[in-house]
Amino acid sequence: AQKVTQAQTEISVVEKEDVTLDCVYETRDTTYYLFWYKQPPSGELVFLIRRNSFDEQNEISGRYSWNFQKSTSSFNFTITASQVVDSAVYFCALSEAVNDSWGKFQFGAGTQVVVTP
Amino acid sequence: GAVVSQHPSWVICKSGTSVKIECRSLDFQATTMFWYRQFPKQSLMLMATSNEGSKATYEQGVEKDKFLINHASLTLSTLTVTSAHPEDSSFYICSAALTSYTQYFGPGTRLTVL
């Protein structure tokens, strides 16, 4: 069974503050993929990043950065210098590439980020 | 990136009617598509896997006779909510898979059953 935990239901910050979203996952497979998606009020999912289980290198993309640690089964996401436009629900997701789990995404509960001016 | 469309974007229907939602991959072929359901302030839950040319496979707890899925071509999958009731009101999202780890999500369809 696979499981994704996003323990933070909602995080409120003031603009320009940094915010870190936690994601902890469970899987028995050695090959898997982790994702982060942004869901603004419109509902459409916006892809942010994909990581495979063999690539633990951290990544930075503009104000976004990700910290993947297999030792703690975590894939955390940080928004630096937050902006009002960052207000959305953020989902962490896990996908395994084998057998009957092929392509299936297991989403975490999501974290609502509220950025106020 | 590739584009997946859904039609309609939103639909309101009376209880007892059936509603069809289309999911199209506009610029690529997808042997496999997925259907998710999202209730307000909740996560996305996988409902079923739609495979072109074969029957859909449903997740545990999802009624296959209630949610009919047809993957008629490599670019089109449809979800029909039969005899819809207010508890079926939800946000339905499809995804089209290029690979197991490369998927593109549609913009979603908001269904309201009165």
Side-chain angles (χ1 to χ4, degrees), chain A residues 33 35 37 39 41-45 47 50 91 95-97 102-110 112, chain B residues 32 34 36 38 41-44 46 49 57 59 91 93 97-103 105-107 110:
Chain A
Y33 299 87
F35 305 80
Y37 284 87
Q39 187 178 45
S42 66
E44 186 164 0
L45 289 176
F47 169 79
R50 179 186 70 220
F91 289 99
S95 177
E96 295 166 321
W102 191 98
K104 296 180 180 181
F105 279 37
Q106 174 80 28
F107 285 87
Q112 172 79 59
Chain B
T32 303
F34 299 90
Y36 295 83
Q38 184 181 29
K41 297 191 182 300
Q42 293 189 24
S43 185
L44 286 78
L46 179 65
T49 303
T57 55
E59 296 300 300
F91 191 55
I93 303 175
L98 267 176
T99 68
S100 66
Y101 52 86
T102 304
Q103 294 189 30
F105 285 85
R110 200 165 299 278

Side-chain angles (χ1 to χ4, degrees), chain A:
Chain A
Q2 53 186 12
K3 182 177 178 182
V4 178
T5 301
Q6 293 180 254
Q8 304 146 308
T9 303
E10 181 171 327
I11 300 176
S12 294
V13 296
V14 177
E15 210 169 18
K16 296 184 183 178
E17 289 183 341
D18 298 347
V19 57
T20 296
L21 286 64
D22 299 333
C23 174
V24 176
Y25 63 93
E26 295 177 31
T27 179
R28 294 180 181 177
D29 288 315
T30 57
T31 302
Y32 54 90
Y33 299 87
L34 295 164
F35 305 80
W36 275 97
Y37 284 87
K38 175 182 180 180
Q39 187 178 45
S42 66
E44 186 164 0
L45 289 176
V46 177
F47 169 79
L48 297 178
I49 191 172
R50 179 186 70 220
R51 263 286 175 266
N52 72 57
S53 52
F54 301 108
D55 182 4
E56 283 193 76
Q57 197 169 24
N58 293 329
E59 182 159 336
I60 297 175
S61 177
R63 296 185 296 108
Y64 295 167
S65 62
W66 291 268
N67 185 330
F68 178 23
Q69 293 193 348
K70 288 179 70 173
S71 61
T72 55
S73 297
S74 65
F75 186 41
N76 296 338
F77 171 36
T78 297
I79 303 173
T80 302
S82 60
Q83 300 176 1
V84 173
V85 293
D86 295 326
S87 297
V89 179
Y90 291 84
F91 289 99
C92 179
L94 167 70
S95 177
E96 295 166 321
V98 295
N99 301 328
D100 61 355
S101 293
W102 191 98
K104 296 180 180 181
F105 279 37
Q106 174 80 28
F107 285 87
T111 297
Q112 172 79 59
V113 173
V114 178
V115 183
T116 53

Side-chain angles (χ1 to χ4, degrees), chain B residues 52-65:
Chain B
E52 190 268 339
S54 64
K55 291 183 178 180
T57 55
Y58 293 81
E59 296 300 300
Q60 194 171 11
V62 177
E63 301 174 58
K64 61 180 181 181
D65 295 329

Side-chain angles (χ1 to χ4, degrees), chain B residues 1 19 32-34 38 47-48 51 62 64 70 76 78 96 103:
Chain B
V19 175
T32 303
M33 294 184 176
F34 299 90
Q38 184 181 29
M47 299 175 64
N51 297 294
V62 177
K64 61 180 181 181
N70 185 359
L76 174 64
T78 60
Q103 294 189 30

Side-chain angles (χ1 to χ4, degrees), chain B residues 3-111:
Chain B
V3 178
V4 174
S5 69
Q6 281 186 239
H7 179 80
S9 300
W10 57 269
V11 56
I12 301 173
C13 69
K14 293 182 178 180
S15 185
T17 61
S18 294
V19 175
K20 180 185 286 188
I21 302 170
E22 292 185 348
C23 175
R24 291 182 185 273
S25 55
L26 298 185
D27 47 6
F28 67 100
Q29 294 183 329
T31 304
T32 303
M33 294 184 176
F34 299 90
W35 287 96
Y36 295 83
R37 178 169 55 183
Q38 184 181 29
F39 291 110
K41 297 191 182 300
Q42 293 189 24
S43 185
L44 286 78
M45 298 300 295
L46 179 65
M47 299 175 64
T49 303
S50 172
N51 297 294
E52 190 268 339
S54 64
K55 291 183 178 180
T57 55
Y58 293 81
E59 296 300 300
Q60 194 171 11
V62 177
E63 301 174 58
K64 61 180 181 181
D65 295 329
K66 174 76 169 174
F67 299 99
L68 299 179
I69 291 173
N70 185 359
H71 198 145
S73 73
L74 289 173
T75 58
L76 174 64
S77 176
T78 60
L79 168 68
T80 301
V81 184
T82 62
S83 186
H85 291 284
E87 58 265 30
D88 298 322
S89 297
S90 188
F91 191 55
Y92 293 88
I93 303 175
C94 71
S95 72
L98 267 176
T99 68
S100 66
Y101 52 86
T102 304
Q103 294 189 30
Y104 299 94
F105 285 85
T109 295
R110 200 165 299 278
L111 170 64

